[in-house]
Amino acid sequence: MGWPEMGWLGALLLILAGYGWGARLSSRAESPVPLPAMLLLALGASVLGLSLVIRAFLEGQDGPLVTGAVGALAAAALAVFTSRE
């Protein structure tokens, strides 16, 4: 598995981190996961995902970077604006 393929894994991590962050922000109930742990997990996934997509971009594949960045923003917006009870 080379860097371009790892870039898609990075894009997936960025999308999941965006969704997790949006879900945490929009939650009205008390979360079972403490805020510092959630921040550390989201930040770790974001940094790892971003490093993987940047490395793939430097190897000549720009799809993971664009997909990860736009997907993370879209996933966060989706998590914030969808109604949950």
Side-chain angles (χ1 to χ4, degrees):
M1 196 172 207
W3 286 113
E5 292 84 12
M6 293 296 286
W8 290 108
L9 177 64
L12 179 66
L13 284 173
L14 285 174
I15 292 169
L16 290 175
Y19 186 80
W21 181 248
R24 176 66 185 202
L25 283 178
S26 68
S27 176
R28 292 188 178 103
E30 190 68 28
S31 175
V33 180
L35 183 61
M38 173 57 195
L39 290 176
L40 188 62
L41 183 65
L43 185 62
S46 297
V47 169
L48 179 61
L50 194 56
S51 66
L52 289 174
V53 297
I54 288 174
R55 180 66 184 195
F57 178 76
L58 292 175
E59 294 289 325
Q61 189 176 16
D62 59 348
L65 180 63
V66 173
T67 303
V70 173
L73 290 174
L78 179 72
V80 168
F81 293 117
T82 54
S83 62
R84 285 186 300 266
E85 299 199 22

